[in-house]
């Protein structure tokens, strides 16, 4: 039965076919629970139909405002409710953002993501952020921001500035969500995602595995992503990094093979989506990352820090890419700089960095 299902899954995706948004929970569950080798084989075959399997997209993430966030996300050291010793800073000056973006471009990043610890931006916050987006675009990179919930008209203002992606994660299943966040609802999140979509900005939306959720929660979380009216163009999948001082500080690490399974399922049910390995990679072995890339992950953040969690150094990633024969995907259309991205090279760590 599992092999038949795997064949069916592969054959549902002709090269020119469009992704489905009508997955049932039973189908996602059946995919998740296939024998590991069947699941990875199906995911990899689908991955090869839509992407060069030896190419990885590289993004860099910068915290443009860190800490003092009024939200209560149980995993996040940026919440004002938890004493984690995190150094906060207000919105970063434009010039510092420009320098960080230039450095990211020199390291091979094709997308520059900027995160601010906000419940949502006030209109007055948007003006300097619009300038940051324009600066990144002028450097020939794609621009992404994560600013929390958006109100009417704000997504349009960001789109007008040239924003390529807006990140807003669902984090987990709707059932598990109230155990993780109480200050905004799942419906709030879906509403922001719809605003982003309606404004014509690409959607970056994923979550975190290992938040104490059940296997069924992981099925439901992936099912929700794959049954949005349109699949997110980018899906970051994090594994929880427990931070002392947060409510999830003692959470046990999620089984690594369960994480790889989730990547494979995501690849099958969202075949054209970029799947990004995000927080948690410092705890992954090279072998586990290799499995994730085989299963369909094709994007990473590089830089020694994500928003607030550690990340492998760019030289470690370059060494891993070399071992695996992976290359960094060049920007589709750079308006400045080189047309070919160099491999990541070691530079100093960015200033403190955070994720929303
Ligand atoms: S994840 Fe984002 S919204 Fe939640 S507390 Fe952290 S910075 Fe605030």
């Amino acid at each position: 039965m599992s092999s038949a299902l795997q064949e069916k899954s592969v054959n549902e995706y002709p090269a020119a076919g469009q992704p489905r948004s009508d997955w049932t929970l039973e189908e996602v569950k059946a995919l998740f629970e296939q024998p590991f080798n069947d699941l990875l084989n199906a995911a990899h075959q689908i991955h090869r139909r839509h992407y060069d399997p030896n190419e990885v997209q590289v993004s860099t993430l910068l915290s443009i405002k860190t800490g003092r966030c009024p939200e209560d996300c149980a995993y996040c050291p940026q919440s004002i409710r938890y004493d984690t010793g995190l150094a906060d800073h207000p919105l970063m000056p434009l010039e510092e953002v420009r320098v960080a973006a230039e450095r990211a471009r020199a390291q091979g990043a094709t997308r520059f993501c900027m995160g601010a610890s906000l419940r949502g931006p006030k209109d007055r916050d948007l003006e300097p952020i619009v300038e940051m987006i324009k600066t990144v675009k002028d450097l020939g990179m794609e621009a992404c921001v994560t600013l929390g919930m958006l109100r009417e008209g704000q997504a349009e203002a960001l789109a007008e500035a040239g924003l390529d992606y807006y990140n807003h994660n669902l984090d987990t299943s709707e059932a598990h969500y109230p155990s993780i966040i109480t200050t905004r609802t799942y419906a709030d999140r879906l509403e922001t995602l719809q605003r982003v979509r309606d404004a014509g900005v690409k959607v970056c939306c994923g979550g975190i595995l290992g938040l104490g959720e059940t296997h069924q929660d992981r099925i439901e979380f992936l099912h929700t992503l794959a049954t949005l009216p349109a699949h997110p163009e980018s899906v970051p999948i994090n594994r929880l990094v427990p931070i002392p001082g947060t409510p999830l500080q003692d959470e046990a690490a999620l089984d690594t093979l369960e994480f790889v399974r989730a990547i494979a399922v995501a690849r099958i049910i969202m075949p054209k989506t970029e799947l990004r390995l995000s927080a948690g990679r410092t705890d992954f072995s090279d072998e586990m990352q290799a499995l994730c890339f085989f299963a369909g992950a094709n994007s990473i953040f590089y830089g020694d820090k994500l928003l607030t969690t550690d990340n492998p150094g760019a030289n470690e990633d370059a060494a891993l890419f070399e071992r695996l024969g992976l290359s960094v995907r060049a920007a589709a259309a750079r308006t400045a700089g080189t047309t070919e991205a160099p491999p990541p090279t070691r530079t100093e760590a960015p200033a403190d960095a955070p994720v929303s």
Side-chain angles (χ1 to χ4, degrees):
M1 174 195 147
S2 62
S3 291
L5 177 58
Q6 170 231 327
E7 286 305 318
K8 178 170 177 277
S9 302
V10 173
N11 291 329
E12 275 168 352
Y13 292 95
Q18 289 307 304
R20 290 172 50 195
S21 286
D22 61 351
W23 289 97
T24 66
L25 267 177
E26 291 67 33
E27 285 178 305
V28 177
K29 181 175 163 63
L31 285 170
F32 223 127
E33 293 172 1
Q34 286 183 90
F36 191 75
N37 288 339
D38 285 350
L39 173 59
L40 257 65
N41 180 50
H44 187 71
Q45 294 305 321
I46 288 164
H47 186 47
R48 297 186 80 92
R49 291 186 184 184
H50 298 284
Y51 286 104
D52 179 341
N54 300 311
E55 212 173 63
V56 176
Q57 188 274 333
V58 171
S59 297
T60 288
L61 179 59
L62 176 71
S63 180
I64 55 172
K65 175 192 173 292
T66 302
R68 303 190 65 77
C69 181
E71 303 298 290
D72 69 349
C73 309
Y75 52 82
C76 183
Q78 301 206 67
S79 171
I80 200 164
R81 298 160 193 245
Y82 314 135
D83 184 8
T84 61
L86 182 74
D88 58 86
H89 67 74
L91 197 66
M92 198 176 263
L94 179 61
E95 199 44 39
E96 284 182 35
V97 174
R98 184 198 313 279
V99 169
E102 285 174 346
R103 186 170 58 210
R105 190 182 69 169
Q107 288 182 309
T110 57
R111 190 175 309 156
F112 193 70
C113 309
M114 297 172 278
S117 51
L118 300 167
R119 175 171 169 79
K122 298 189 170 57
D123 286 342
R124 68 167 182 270
D125 296 326
L126 280 187
E127 205 173 302
I129 291 171
V130 158
E131 292 309 310
M132 292 175 188
I133 292 166
K134 289 179 177 170
T135 298
V136 170
K137 296 295 292 182
D138 285 347
L139 289 170
M141 285 188 285
E142 293 175 315
C144 174
V145 294
T146 179
L147 311 171
M149 292 187 289
L150 295 180
R151 287 182 287 110
E152 203 177 333
Q154 293 185 322
E156 285 74 11
L158 294 169
E160 203 167 310
L163 186 70
D164 296 286
Y165 290 81
Y166 191 86
N167 166 263
H168 199 55
N169 289 339
L170 286 175
D171 281 355
T172 188
S173 70
E174 186 167 10
H176 189 56
Y177 184 89
S179 309
I180 303 300
I181 299 134
T182 67
T183 48
R184 58 172 88 154
T185 66
Y186 215 69
D188 289 334
R189 295 206 178 227
L190 291 168
E191 185 178 87
T192 288
L193 291 173
Q194 191 58 51
R195 289 191 198 286
V196 171
R197 188 58 85 196
D198 290 346
V201 175
K202 295 187 189 109
V203 170
C204 175
C205 177
I208 307 173
L209 306 183
L211 296 173
E213 77 280 359
T214 62
H215 178 69
Q216 179 65 23
D217 286 315
R218 289 187 278 281
I219 292 166
E220 291 175 15
F221 161 62
L222 293 175
H223 175 260
T224 301
L225 288 174
T227 54
L228 289 170
H231 293 169
E233 282 80 1
S234 169
V235 170
I237 305 281
N238 302 266
R239 189 172 76 165
L240 176 70
V241 178
I243 307 289
T246 63
L248 296 180
Q249 61 179 1
D250 297 322
E251 199 61 47
L254 179 72
D255 173 56
T256 51
L257 295 184
E258 175 77 354
F259 186 92
V260 177
R261 279 182 178 274
I263 295 286
V265 172
R267 170 50 68 225
I268 292 170
I269 61 179
M270 295 177 283
K272 292 187 175 179
T273 291
E274 264 175 12
L275 288 180
R276 179 173 308 121
L277 301 180
S278 300
R281 268 200 316 125
T282 44
D283 296 329
F284 294 178
S285 66
D286 282 1
E287 291 77 10
M288 173 164 170
Q289 292 192 70
L291 269 181
C292 289
F293 290 132
F294 185 82
N298 61 348
S299 174
I300 62 163
F301 279 121
Y302 83 81
D304 298 354
K305 278 273 188 191
L306 295 180
L307 288 181
T308 50
T309 59
D310 289 338
N311 198 44
N315 60 342
E316 289 173 51
D317 286 333
L320 176 61
F321 284 8
E322 193 172 334
R323 288 180 75 196
L324 299 177
L326 295 174
S327 58
V328 175
R329 190 191 311 159
R334 286 180 177 241
T335 56
T338 60
T339 52
E340 193 160 333
T345 52
R346 184 74 174 176
T347 63
E348 79 237 47
D352 193 24
V355 181
S356 203

